[in-house]
Amino acid sequence: MSKHKTNGKKIRQLSIYIHIPFCKSKCNYCSFYSIPILKSENNLLPKDYADLLKKEIEITIERFALSGSHINSIYFGGGTPSIMQVQFFQNLLWFINKNFLIAKTAEITVEINPESGSFNKLSGLKSLGVNRLSIGAQSFNGNVLKTAGRIHNEKDIYNAANNAKKAGFDNISLDLIIGLPGQTETIFYDDIMQTLALEPRHISAYMLSIEKNTKFYKTCNEKNKKNRLTFISEENTAKYYEILCKLLVENGYIHYEISNFAKNGHESRHNLNYWKRGQYLGLGPSASSFLKTEDGKEIRKTNVPDLDKYANNVLKKPVHKPETDFMEILTEKDKINEEIFLSLRTNLGINAKRLTELVNPDIINSFIEEGLMQIKGNGNIALTLKGMLLSSEIFARIMA
Ligand code: SF4
């Protein structure tokens, strides 16, 4: 529990993530839980979804004694939050405000897909107090977007970004994917240049990873060679990542986490809370929470990734085969591992003395000798650029 106190009572500091599990269609690389809009067994419509989330808030407040928590950030992610109507956000934000204490300075983010970023929608969100937008551009090349199964084009990205600015948003983030099929070095360079031209305050860039339950995975394993897509090699994806890091830093962005870059003061407070192991409440199917109980336990909980099963759980419906949410109480070893891996994701790193208490100093020294870790001026140890590229291997070696 946080050490903040008011009238002698501890106030829990919390972030809220709200998962919107609806999309117009499924992108070929996507492994997030989402369903085509209106495709639910129980015919659950997005307009009913706010009621489910409100019910989940009530249940969770009671179960984990969250009443009166201080909310520092709210993040609507998905799925495609921008296909929801403005009234949906109004309804939810009103309910959150009624049950918690939203900080005056809270960061409130909504993810926007370019094709659904109309001026009316974005100005509606602005009027509700939403102060940050994250636009899923992914690439500016029409063919690359089409192969990835995205339904927007380059013009939609420009329209959404311009609508956001016209609606009064100053804090805009753009998402890119590194290593999409068809993304040659020239195309990727152009993606970076077009991103910079829009002057977003924040940029997230994730390397394509082919997950099992995606259309790309099926394409990779396609028996008929003619139907197989050509994917960018790991070597080239690494090269693109290095080009991106260099160009963004040259253009004044701080590389503050493996995949995230921001102008000074525009780091995502919501994500920083994850990496600092702050508490958060995840609402909706597939959403995860990290909460601390009054007796000092740390709990990770993930809701069932299925809208109908989630609805049954929230409404406590008697069903033939109930599926419960995943929940675990962290062991001391879990806590230490999280502390190491989450701190090392960021440019701040981890206190050198603390790291050598947790990990064999010989291993840390070998990482430093190999140029994967560096000692910073403040006495912390952080990953180098090479280390960020090889972070999964580094974490595996620490765990071995
Ligand atoms: S990438 Fe985003 S828009 Fe595409 S299917 Fe996944 S959640 Fe939906």
Side-chain angles (χ1 to χ4, degrees):
M1 193 91 67
S2 153
K3 291 198 178 70
H4 293 252
K5 288 185 178 186
T6 305
N7 297 331
K9 195 172 170 262
K10 283 179 183 173
I11 303 277
R12 191 192 295 260
Q13 305 295 311
L14 198 62
S15 287
I16 295 183
Y17 171 80
I18 299 168
H19 190 73
I20 309 299
F22 308 106
C23 289
K24 281 191 183 155
S25 67
K26 194 78 186 165
C27 302
N28 296 338
Y29 56 86
C30 179
S31 63
F32 295 124
Y33 174 66
S34 71
I35 53 172
I37 198 153
L38 303 186
K39 212 181 185 184
S40 157
E41 276 174 33
N42 293 344
N43 296 320
L44 191 74
L45 299 172
K47 71 178 170 53
D48 303 322
Y49 188 54
D51 292 336
L52 279 183
L53 292 168
K54 282 155 70 176
K55 188 85 192 140
E56 191 192 357
I57 291 174
E58 280 173 347
I59 294 169
T60 324
I61 284 180
E62 205 183 314
R63 187 171 175 197
F64 296 102
L66 300 182
S67 180
S69 297
H70 196 166
I71 308 299
N72 296 310
S73 69
I74 302 174
Y75 194 104
F76 292 88
T80 309
S82 52
I83 51 179
M84 305 302 269
Q85 293 185 342
V86 172
Q87 287 88 324
F88 168 86
F89 297 94
Q90 187 175 25
N91 190 350
L92 252 284
L93 288 171
W94 170 82
F95 195 77
I96 293 171
N97 197 32
K98 190 175 142 210
N99 285 280
F100 302 101
L101 196 73
I102 303 181
K104 280 204 180 96
T105 54
E107 178 188 88
I108 306 180
T109 305
V110 176
E111 282 181 357
I112 302 292
N113 274 14
E115 74 283 353
S116 51
S118 70
F119 173 73
N120 281 350
K121 169 114 4 129
L122 303 189
S123 53
L125 293 177
K126 185 80 178 62
S127 70
L128 299 178
V130 173
N131 50 27
R132 185 172 182 273
L133 296 179
S134 173
I135 302 177
Q138 319 311 359
S139 171
F140 287 76
N141 181 279
N143 290 333
V144 170
L145 288 168
K146 211 166 162 203
T147 310
R150 299 290 295 183
I151 54 172
H152 69 267
N153 57 32
E154 170 198 336
K155 210 169 144 228
D156 293 326
I157 305 172
Y158 274 90
N159 285 341
N162 290 332
N163 288 340
K165 285 179 192 168
K166 248 200 294 171
F169 284 97
D170 162 62
N171 198 356
I172 298 170
S173 178
L174 273 192
D175 279 4
L176 289 177
I177 300 180
I178 311 169
L180 283 168
Q183 202 178 34
T184 60
E185 191 173 329
T186 314
I187 289 176
F188 186 64
Y189 182 82
D190 185 60
D191 284 342
I192 302 172
M193 288 303 141
Q194 299 220 45
T195 301
L196 290 172
L198 287 171
E199 301 181 333
R201 298 283 191 241
H202 186 280
I203 298 167
S204 296
Y206 292 90
M207 283 184 252
L208 179 71
S209 141
I210 314 280
E211 305 294 333
K212 263 194 173 164
N213 56 342
T214 61
K215 290 187 191 158
F216 272 171
Y217 183 83
K218 283 187 202 131
T219 318
C220 268
N221 293 288
E222 177 63 62
K223 284 199 182 103
N224 185 344
K225 278 191 183 171
K226 270 192 206 154
N227 297 335
R228 269 191 220 161
L229 269 177
T230 308
F231 287 89
I232 311 287
S233 68
E234 263 184 42
E235 209 179 37
N236 278 338
T237 307
K239 189 174 159 196
Y240 291 7
Y241 176 75
E242 283 174 330
I243 293 171
L244 173 96
C245 295
K246 185 172 174 287
L247 283 171
L248 296 195
V249 170
E250 278 173 10
N251 280 277
Y253 289 85
I254 299 163
H255 188 181
Y256 75 102
E257 193 268 346
I258 295 176
S259 307
N260 287 283
F261 307 80
K263 291 280 173 156
N264 196 11
H266 289 84
E267 295 83 357
S268 159
R269 278 160 35 206
H270 186 81
N271 285 345
L272 280 174
N273 184 54
Y274 291 154
W275 301 317
K276 286 181 179 164
R277 299 193 77 241
Q279 297 182 69
Y280 52 88
L281 172 63
L283 302 165
S286 80
S288 293
S289 302
F290 173 56
L291 299 166
K292 298 182 186 176
T293 61
E294 277 174 341
D295 57 358
K297 290 194 185 84
E298 295 189 359
I299 291 170
R300 287 209 177 268
K301 174 180 164 293
T302 301
N303 290 344
V304 57
D306 180 298
L307 181 59
D308 295 308
K309 289 175 183 166
Y310 164 80
N312 289 337
N313 285 352
V314 168
L315 301 172
K316 296 195 180 7
K317 276 196 185 164
V319 286
H320 176 51
K321 276 191 191 164
E323 191 160 335
T324 49
D325 302 326
F326 169 80
M327 196 167 106
E328 64 176 344
I329 296 172
L330 299 189
T331 62
E332 286 311 308
K333 191 161 190 309
D334 292 333
K335 291 180 194 174
I336 288 172
N337 284 341
E338 284 194 0
E339 182 187 345
I340 299 169
F341 303 145
L342 293 174
S343 318
L344 283 176
R345 291 194 66 87
T346 69
N347 64 341
L348 286 179
I350 180 169
N351 178 275
K353 191 166 168 284
R354 175 78 180 143
L355 185 61
T356 46
E357 277 165 14
L358 302 175
V359 180
N360 181 342
D362 292 342
I363 298 180
I364 302 303
N365 284 334
S366 67
F367 286 140
I368 293 172
E369 277 163 27
E370 289 169 51
L372 299 171
M373 284 185 183
Q374 57 186 323
I375 302 175
K376 312 257 299 188
N378 59 1
N380 278 10
I381 289 184
L383 296 181
T384 58
L385 184 58
K386 188 176 161 198
M388 286 185 171
L389 254 173
L390 299 173
S391 57
S392 311
E393 280 120 90
I394 292 173
F395 297 157
R397 272 169 69 187
I398 290 176
M399 294 282 279

